[in-house]
């Protein structure tokens, strides 16, 4: 194998291990054994387990971000864009289950980026302008749009995790349709100044 091929092999083996056992449960010894190489080969390419994990997470984040960004950058109504974004995220869960499992687990100590929470925050920032425009059109305060964007993206991400663990009893299109149904129809009935009733 060339150095590039070996690196890609180690990334694939590490990804599988992190998805199955998490960061803490995976070891350089096991990853090297699965790849049929010595431990120093892993250290040579990544400096250790943390370096390999960082590469795996960076790739997953790049993939998911590209999918959602693509969904939000096309033409369409606000509802259509939200539907596309929900489908993009749920499609990632379906097609890259191992990657999603890695992202929903805790990041190793000291890692400030690369978690699902930080990624979802980035996606929510992209959704803010859609919600702000809808809020203005309905006479609501646009300054609250960032908070609602976090809620919407969190709802999709958590539902995607539930769907992944529920043996996917519904199609991805059904899950996206129900998420958007709740989000969109809830948005049409927003109170101007919401308060808790309890």
């Amino acid at each position: 194998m060339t150095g590039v091929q070996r690196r890609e092999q180690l990334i694939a083996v590490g990804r599988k291990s992190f998805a199955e056992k998490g960061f803490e449960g995976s070891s350089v010894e096991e990853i090297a054994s699965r790849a049929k190489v010595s431990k120093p080969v892993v250290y040579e390419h990544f400096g250790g387990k943390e370096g390999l994990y960082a590469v795996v997470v960076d790739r997953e984040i790049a993939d998911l971000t590209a999918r959602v960004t693509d969904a939000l950058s096309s033409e369409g109504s606000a509802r259509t864009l939200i539907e596309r974004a929900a489908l993009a995220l749920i499609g990632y869960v379906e097609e890259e289950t191992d990657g999603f499992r890695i992202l929903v687990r805790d990041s190793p100590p000291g890692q400030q980026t690369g978690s699902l929470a930080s990624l979802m925050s980035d996606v929510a920032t992209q959704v803010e302008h859609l919600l702000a425009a809808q809020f203005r059109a309905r006479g609501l305060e646009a300054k609250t749009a960032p908070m609602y964007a976090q809620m919407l993206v969190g709802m999709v991400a958590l539902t995607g995790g539930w769907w992944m663990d529920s043996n996917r009893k519904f199609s991805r299109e059904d899950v996206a349709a129900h998420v958007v149904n709740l989000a969109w129809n809830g948005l049409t009935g927003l109170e101007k100044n919401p308060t808790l009733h309890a």
Side-chain angles (χ1 to χ4, degrees):
M1 266 187 205
T2 67
V4 171
Q5 290 170 326
R6 177 66 69 198
R7 181 178 171 82
E8 291 303 315
Q9 178 207 24
L10 291 170
I11 291 169
V13 170
R15 182 180 190 261
K16 192 71 174 165
S17 179
F18 296 135
E20 291 171 1
K21 300 180 176 186
F23 176 79
E24 293 298 329
S26 298
S27 68
V28 171
E29 293 83 0
E30 178 206 356
I31 291 166
S33 174
R34 283 183 176 191
K36 298 183 178 12
V37 298
S38 63
K39 285 176 16 182
V41 173
V42 178
Y43 288 109
E44 176 187 326
H45 282 278
F46 303 100
K49 181 173 74 168
E50 293 81 4
L52 176 57
Y53 182 83
V55 170
V56 170
V57 168
D58 285 348
R59 285 188 177 192
E60 296 306 320
I61 286 176
D63 182 11
L64 182 51
T65 301
R67 290 172 187 239
V68 174
T69 300
D70 185 51
L72 291 173
S73 61
S74 52
E75 294 292 320
S77 68
R79 179 179 174 135
T80 299
L81 294 178
I82 290 172
E83 288 175 357
R84 288 179 188 155
L87 269 172
L89 178 54
I90 294 168
Y92 172 81
V93 172
E94 181 176 48
E95 295 163 12
E96 303 296 340
T97 302
D98 283 350
F100 188 75
R101 283 190 202 290
I102 292 166
L103 292 179
V104 298
R105 287 198 170 99
D106 292 338
S107 299
Q111 184 168 337
Q112 299 301 314
T113 60
S115 68
L116 184 65
S118 66
L119 174 63
M120 292 297 98
S121 181
D122 292 344
V123 171
T125 300
Q126 296 180 46
V127 173
E128 284 175 22
H129 75 281
L130 298 173
L131 294 182
Q134 290 297 314
F135 281 27
R136 281 191 290 276
R138 289 175 167 77
L140 301 168
E141 286 191 52
K143 72 178 184 180
T144 61
M147 178 172 45
Y148 282 93
Q150 292 288 334
M151 291 179 213
L152 178 61
V153 170
M155 181 172 62
V156 176
L158 287 173
T159 302
W162 166 83
W163 180 63
M164 178 182 70
D165 292 335
S166 69
N167 298 318
R168 299 183 183 149
K169 295 175 184 172
F170 302 95
S171 71
R172 92 165 85 171
E173 291 78 11
D174 283 342
V175 173
H178 283 282
V179 166
V180 173
N181 180 41
L182 175 61
W184 191 259
N185 291 321
L187 289 174
T188 60
L190 284 180
E191 299 171 345
K192 193 165 195 156
N193 296 304
T195 58
L196 296 177
H197 294 226

